[in-house]
Amino acid sequence: MNLRQRMLDDLRLRNYSKATQKNYLGGVSRFAEYFGRSPALMGPEHIRKYQLHLLDEKKLSYDSLNGLTCALRFFFQVTLGKDWAVNKIPCARRARRLPVVLAQSEIVRLLRAFANETDLLMCLLAYSGGLRVLEIANTKVGDIDSERMIIHIRQGKGRKDRIVPLSPKVLVVARRHWLIDRPDLYLFPCKTDSTKPISPTSIRRGFRAAGESAGIKKRVTPHMLRHTFATHHLEAGTDLRTLQLMMGHNSLRITGFYLHVSTDRLRLAKTPLEHLDAGFTE
């Protein structure tokens, strides 16, 4: 059995998603191509040299570099079973940047800018339910539960199921969308093959076009709407644990990161200057 197939089998046995399988296999393949030899014949120094090449010459982001590092760790540790310190393959510390979110007034402008019901409904799912772009694409007609007023999210990130509330306003648009397009399996089927879902690229393109049409200076993406969903929930008083369940986060710490973005809490806090009576504003 060749190494590629063996690694693929190892990934499948551990229930890694198809996207992760593709990314890991591609990362190891590019590593081997750079040195022109089998990765089984290489070790820590080769990995270090390749990482520096990607940083210095290819200008790869640290997030992308860490994704490749995870692929190489898996290959050497699991597929090859190497006994050298695989876990010492360095990962970069991730920069913590606050997510960009939309104001409620911008959300109103955005929703009014969509040219068709399909794109509008996808935006509503991102903003009202916090769905990721792949979760939007993979939503099936049967996942919209109008009896219990919930949306089933099947096998989201990390192969986890979860449910989020179904807004009555979203249900109205979903029913209009169904009456117009009559989707059978996927709520948003691929135009050329209804047995497959729409591509994430098509969803992103629709969001970006609507954002530009609405005159929003920020680059509108499905993930920005997910960030906005979380931030607006906190500003409305939703507790962290409930938000964690809706977001599908493994850790409450991840959900708590959105507290840094919630401007309502910042506006309530007084600066030290407010406690001084220096007379310079008179």
Side-chain angles (χ1 to χ4, degrees):
M1 182 185 296
N2 63 49
L3 285 176
R4 181 183 178 84
Q5 185 59 51
R6 183 176 181 84
M7 183 178 179
L8 176 59
D9 291 344
D10 288 334
L11 290 163
R12 290 174 54 238
L13 285 169
R14 288 158 182 78
N15 201 27
Y16 280 72
S17 70
K18 289 188 180 297
T20 301
Q21 292 173 28
K22 180 181 179 181
N23 290 337
Y24 275 27
L25 290 169
V28 175
S29 176
R30 289 188 293 274
F31 171 68
E33 288 172 4
Y34 177 73
F35 290 100
R37 66 175 76 174
S38 169
L41 302 176
M42 293 185 274
E45 284 306 312
H46 294 92
I47 296 171
R48 178 183 176 84
K49 182 178 179 180
Y50 186 56
Q51 288 177 316
L52 290 172
H53 158 73
L54 294 175
L55 276 178
D56 298 337
E57 298 177 35
K58 295 296 185 180
K59 308 300 181 184
L60 205 68
S61 70
Y62 280 104
D63 281 350
S64 297
L65 183 66
N66 285 343
L68 170 78
T69 301
C70 290
L72 293 175
R73 281 183 174 182
F74 183 93
F75 175 74
F76 283 103
Q77 190 168 42
V78 178
T79 301
L80 293 185
K82 292 293 185 180
D83 56 4
W84 42 266
V86 176
N87 287 330
K88 290 189 177 180
I89 298 174
C91 275
R93 292 183 63 182
R94 298 183 64 179
R96 297 292 288 177
R97 296 184 177 89
L98 292 178
V100 177
V101 301
L102 296 177
Q104 288 187 341
S105 59
E106 291 175 313
I107 290 291
V108 172
R109 284 160 50 198
L110 178 66
L111 295 178
R112 290 173 176 170
F114 281 98
N116 58 70
E117 292 280 323
T118 299
D119 287 343
L120 172 61
L121 179 56
M122 289 190 284
C123 182
L124 289 171
L125 290 176
Y127 176 62
S128 74
L131 275 68
R132 301 176 176 93
V133 65
L134 275 174
E135 293 168 347
I136 295 171
N138 291 323
T139 300
K140 296 181 178 177
V141 174
D143 293 336
I144 306 296
D145 188 340
S146 59
E147 293 293 324
R148 298 173 62 198
M149 293 302 290
I150 57 175
I151 302 171
H152 294 272
I153 300 171
R154 317 282 185 184
Q155 298 293 281
K157 187 175 181 180
R159 295 290 184 94
K160 295 181 297 183
D161 290 354
R162 72 181 192 278
I163 57 174
V164 296
L166 171 61
S167 162
K169 295 178 181 179
V170 175
L171 181 58
V172 170
V173 178
R175 283 174 169 162
R176 285 205 307 253
H177 164 73
W178 187 86
L179 287 171
I180 295 169
D181 289 357
R182 296 285 178 172
D184 182 31
L185 178 60
Y186 289 101
L187 192 60
F188 310 109
C190 173
K191 290 183 178 179
T192 57
D193 184 353
S194 62
T195 65
K196 295 179 180 179
I198 188 174
S199 73
T201 301
S202 296
I203 299 176
R204 293 188 184 99
R205 189 182 300 123
F207 278 48
R208 184 167 63 250
E212 292 171 355
S213 177
I216 296 172
K217 301 301 182 184
K218 306 162 189 172
R219 184 183 176 88
V220 177
T221 67
H223 217 65
M224 175 193 281
L225 270 292
R226 177 172 158 85
H227 291 321
T228 304
F229 159 85
T231 304
H232 288 184
H233 256 294
L234 286 176
E235 291 180 345
T238 303
D239 65 275
L240 274 179
R241 175 56 180 160
T242 300
L243 183 58
Q244 178 194 5
L245 293 173
M246 289 191 291
M247 295 286 285
H249 288 154
N250 286 327
S251 167
L252 198 61
R253 179 182 59 82
I254 299 173
T255 313
F257 182 64
Y258 288 99
L259 289 170
H260 297 286
V261 194
S262 176
T263 56
D264 278 8
R265 286 171 169 77
L266 294 178
R267 283 195 292 266
L268 290 174
K270 291 186 177 181
T271 73
L273 189 60
E274 306 306 314
H275 302 288
L276 299 180
D277 186 16
F280 62 86
T281 59
E282 297 175 358

